[in-house]
């Protein structure tokens, strides 16, 4: 087993593989799910899972080490989200195509994934045959998106929150005070209050915790 910062990287055996198999990096924080996906994808004759990671901040290092063709990323990962990792991969490993695979089929997540340079977005409840087919299509340059999620994203519209409004909501997750958020983000307390008030208004909620929950539910955070 090899390791990169933030989580384990397991290199899979390459015996009895086609010479030109598709190299896949798999990022999933649940060990059982990660192992099952790797096993099922490994049964495909043209797909090889060359690395597995359990944390988002291990993705880029693993990609640079193993040079996968496709990075199959969950969104909610410890250390760094799959969406943030996708943006880093675009900069540091541009030849690696990104396919987001998540339990949370939220319209806001889809928009953010596309903005981060992802080539596909699928939810986890589909059969592995569909996932394998999506991997092949993404490798050829196609963009593959779950049809129901694409329709929902179009009807939901764009993320109404600015980057700073998202920052202050994220900083509110652990119940931090306005003073704590201001110190963390190097802002004045009045500026933090203004951002929070704006975010509460845009989410149609009554307080910052409700705004944070609504923004997460929509996939805006």
């Amino acid at each position: 087993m090899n390791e990169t910062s933030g989580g384990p990287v397991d290199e899979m055996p390459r015996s009895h593989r086609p010479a030109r198999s598709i190299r896949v990096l798999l990022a999933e924080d649940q060990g059982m799910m990660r192992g099952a996906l790797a096993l099922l994808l490994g049964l495909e004759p043209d797909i090889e899972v060359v690395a597995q990671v359990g944390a988002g901040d291990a993705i880029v290092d693993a990609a640079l080490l193993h040079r996968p063709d496709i990075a199959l990323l969950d969104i909610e990962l410890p250390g760094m989200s799959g969406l943030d990792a996708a943006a880093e991969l675009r900069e540091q490993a541009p030849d690696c195509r990104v396919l987001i695979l998540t339990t949370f089929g939220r319209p806001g997540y889809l928009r953010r994934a596309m903005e981060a340079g992802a080539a596909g977005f699928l939810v986890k409840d589909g059969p592995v045959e569909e996932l394998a087919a999506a991997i092949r299509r993404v490798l050829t340059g196609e963009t593959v998106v779950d049809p129901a999620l694409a329709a929902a994203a179009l009807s939901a519209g764009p993320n109404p929150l600015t980057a700073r409004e998202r920052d202050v909501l994220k900083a509110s997750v652990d119940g931090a005070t306005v003073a704590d958020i201001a110190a963390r983000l190097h802002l004045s307390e009045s500026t933090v209050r203004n951002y929070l008030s704006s975010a509460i208004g845009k989410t149609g909620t009554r307080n910052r915790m409700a705004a944070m929950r609504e923004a997460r539910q929509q996939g805006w955070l």
Side-chain angles (χ1 to χ4, degrees):
M1 178 182 295
N2 298 317
E3 292 192 359
T4 58
S5 173
V9 178
D10 303 324
E11 187 165 8
M12 307 300 290
R14 301 190 64 188
S15 58
H16 308 296
R17 291 286 181 176
R20 303 182 68 177
S21 58
I22 303 169
R23 295 170 61 81
V24 173
L25 181 154
L26 176 59
E28 163 64 55
D29 64 328
Q30 297 183 30
M32 186 175 295
M33 173 69 76
R34 186 171 67 246
L37 275 174
L39 179 63
L40 291 171
L41 288 174
L43 295 176
E44 297 292 322
D46 59 340
I47 295 176
E48 177 185 5
V49 179
V50 296
Q52 302 176 46
V53 300
D57 50 8
I59 291 171
V60 173
D61 285 346
L64 294 175
L65 176 63
H66 296 283
R67 296 296 178 181
D69 302 303
I70 303 289
L72 187 60
L73 310 181
D74 193 7
I75 290 180
E76 298 193 354
L77 295 166
M80 177 186 291
S81 76
L83 298 176
D84 290 336
E88 287 204 9
L89 283 174
R90 180 173 57 183
E91 297 297 323
Q92 299 193 44
D95 292 336
C96 178
R97 304 272 285 171
V98 172
L99 178 58
I100 299 292
L101 181 66
T102 182
T103 303
F104 304 102
R106 296 168 181 166
Y109 278 164
L110 172 57
R111 287 182 175 272
R112 289 171 60 198
M114 296 299 105
E115 290 170 359
F121 194 108
L122 298 174
V123 291
K124 291 180 181 177
D125 59 0
V128 71
E129 292 81 9
E130 286 187 9
L131 176 57
I135 289 171
R136 297 181 186 106
R137 291 172 61 192
V138 164
L139 189 64
T140 66
E142 290 188 52
T143 298
V144 181
V145 177
D146 179 90
L149 186 58
L154 288 174
S155 62
N159 184 347
L161 301 175
T162 67
R164 270 309 194 188
E165 289 164 356
R166 295 196 297 270
D167 287 343
V168 296
L169 285 181
K170 289 177 183 177
S172 302
V173 171
D174 57 1
T177 66
V178 169
D180 292 334
I181 298 169
R184 188 177 303 171
L185 299 178
H186 306 290
L187 299 171
S188 70
E189 292 184 27
S190 62
T191 298
V192 169
R193 290 191 183 93
N194 288 338
Y195 283 134
L196 287 172
S197 177
S198 179
I200 290 167
K202 289 179 179 179
T203 55
T205 53
R206 294 186 176 183
N207 56 59
R208 58 175 167 150
M209 297 309 293
M212 188 252 319
R213 288 193 295 270
E214 177 64 17
R216 280 190 173 276
Q217 181 62 35
Q218 293 295 332
W220 296 335
L221 294 183

